[in-house]
């Protein structure tokens, strides 16, 4: 499994628009009541492992003095990522599955380091960059992040206990030291839309059900209201990915379509019968 944010990745002809940032200025150091040093910084234009996404995020480091010259450093990230269409999905970096489209989502995460060395004084900590634009060659690898706060002879464990969670409107992926759960594929959940088309001479109704927002075929159930609180028989049909299907019902007033959207959400949509003749 890959370690997100920990390995070096190169920008290779992606056509992505890079985010312009102002020149780095001094880090905004805060000293907490317990003596912890809190250093907020920003990272832009970071290429995620194997090029599947571009990240822009805030990273807050909290430096805690244990004893002597022993410290723990904890980082907390929050920001956005944008997938790169055609690149391997993060859970399938062998290229078996590729990203269906470019989508922007949110991610959070972090981890901790054990460091032994001399912590820089407050003046030097304040002189650290407040932002790192990877596209401008100012990249600091996540695995080395804690080293910037200490003298040159400090030693670090590297990041441990790390986890990042990536979310789009439809998907979630969690990655930690044990591996990946879920995935980001760029595929969209189904959002079905129904419409009444016409009625035949014997008043049989013709409807269309469209998979207006979905990369997967979707099964659905449908029935028509008969009036007086009664409904006709419930039937089942399938609408293809990004397609539509025609269904017929007995005479009635309103079509009800029920389905699972593909991400464990039960959905309903309705349409009024048309008065037009077929």
């Amino acid at each position: 499994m890959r370690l997100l944010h920990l390995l070096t990745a190169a920008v290779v002809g992606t056509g992505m628009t890079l985010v312009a940032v102002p020149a780095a200025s001094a880090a905004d150091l805060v000293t907490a009541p317990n003596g912890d040093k809190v250093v907020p910084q920003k990272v832009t234009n970071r290429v995620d492992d194997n090029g599947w996404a571009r990240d822009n995020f805030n990273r807050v480091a909290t430096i805690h003095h244990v004893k002597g010259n022993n410290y723990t450093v904890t980082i907390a990230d929050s920001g956005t990522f944008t997938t790169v269409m055609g690149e391997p999905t993060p859970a399938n970096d062998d290229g078996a599955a590729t990203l269906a489209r470019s989508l922007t989502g949110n991610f959070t995460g972090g981890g901790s380091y054990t460091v032994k060395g001399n912590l820089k004084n407050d003046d030097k900590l304040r002189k650290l960059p407040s932002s790192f634009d990877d596209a401008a060659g100012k990249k600091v690898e996540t695995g080395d992040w804690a080293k910037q706060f200490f003298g040159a002879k400090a030693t670090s464990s590297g990041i441990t206990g790390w986890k990042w969670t990536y979310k789009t409107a439809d998907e979630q992926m969690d990655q930690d030291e044990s591996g990946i759960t879920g995935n980001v594929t760029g595929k969209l959940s189904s959002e079905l839309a129904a419409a009444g088309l016409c009625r035949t001479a014997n008043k049989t109704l013709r409807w269309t059900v469209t998979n207006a927002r979905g990369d997967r075929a979707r099964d659905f159930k449908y029935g028509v209201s008969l009036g007086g609180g009664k409904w006709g028989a419930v039937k089942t049909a399938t609408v293809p990915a990004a397609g539509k299907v025609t269904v017929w019902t007995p005479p009635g007033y309103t079509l009800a379509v029920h389905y699972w959207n593909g991400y464990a959400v039960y959905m309903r949509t309705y349409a009024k019968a048309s008065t037009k003749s077929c």
Side-chain angles (χ1 to χ4, degrees):
M1 289 294 182
R2 302 178 329 282
L3 307 184
L4 290 181
H5 301 295
L6 307 189
L7 304 179
T8 302
V11 178
V12 181
T14 62
M16 295 293 291
T17 300
L18 299 178
V19 175
V21 295
S25 57
D28 187 11
L29 174 68
V30 175
T31 300
N34 66 350
D36 288 355
K37 305 294 183 181
V38 181
V39 185
Q41 294 168 303
K42 180 181 291 186
V43 178
T44 56
N45 298 315
R46 175 141 300 187
V47 180
D48 239 316
D49 298 338
N50 291 335
W52 75 273
R54 302 294 180 266
D55 300 340
N56 296 285
F57 57 98
N58 295 311
R59 171 168 287 171
V60 178
T62 301
I63 307 164
H64 177 72
H65 183 213
V66 180
K67 63 178 179 179
N69 61 352
N70 295 295
Y71 296 83
T72 59
V73 177
T74 302
I75 59 168
D77 295 346
S78 63
T80 63
F81 67 95
T82 301
T83 60
V84 181
M85 185 174 66
E87 291 293 329
T89 66
N92 298 280
D93 58 10
D94 59 358
T98 57
L99 288 154
R101 59 173 49 78
S102 177
L103 286 176
T104 296
N106 298 308
F107 77 94
T108 58
S112 61
Y113 312 75
T114 299
V115 182
K116 186 172 184 178
N118 295 319
L119 179 65
K120 292 179 178 179
N121 61 36
D122 287 1
D123 286 342
K124 290 183 177 180
L125 290 175
R126 290 191 181 95
K127 291 179 181 178
L128 293 172
S130 65
S131 63
F132 297 88
D133 181 1
D134 287 9
K138 299 182 181 297
K139 184 173 184 177
V140 176
E141 295 289 348
T142 293
D144 296 328
W145 199 263
K147 292 181 180 179
Q148 63 180 304
F149 308 124
F150 296 86
K153 295 183 179 180
T155 58
S156 170
S157 63
I159 190 167
T160 61
W162 55 269
K163 179 179 180 179
W164 280 272
T165 297
Y166 294 80
K167 293 181 179 180
T168 68
D170 300 298
E171 298 180 296
Q172 176 173 327
M173 181 186 75
D174 298 300
Q175 187 172 31
D176 58 25
E177 292 171 318
S178 64
I180 295 176
T181 303
N183 199 6
V184 175
T185 67
K187 292 184 176 181
L188 301 176
S189 63
S190 294
E191 183 175 318
L192 305 189
L197 295 181
C198 58
R199 63 180 65 220
T200 64
N202 64 1
K203 298 184 180 180
T204 299
L205 299 174
R206 183 184 180 190
W207 314 80
T208 185
V209 177
T210 303
N211 196 346
R213 181 178 179 271
D215 295 304
R216 303 167 176 86
R218 187 64 52 211
D219 296 334
F220 63 92
K221 294 181 179 180
Y222 66 96
V224 66
S225 65
L226 305 176
K230 296 181 180 180
W231 288 81
V234 175
K235 297 183 179 181
T236 301
T238 301
V239 59
K244 61 183 178 180
V245 65
T246 298
V247 297
W248 298 84
T249 68
Y253 300 95
T254 301
L255 182 74
V257 175
H258 295 223
Y259 64 99
W260 293 94
N261 75 342
Y263 293 95
V265 179
Y266 192 67
M267 307 286 287
R268 301 178 183 85
T269 189
Y270 301 91
K272 294 291 185 181
S274 174
T275 59
K276 294 180 180 180
S277 298
C278 294

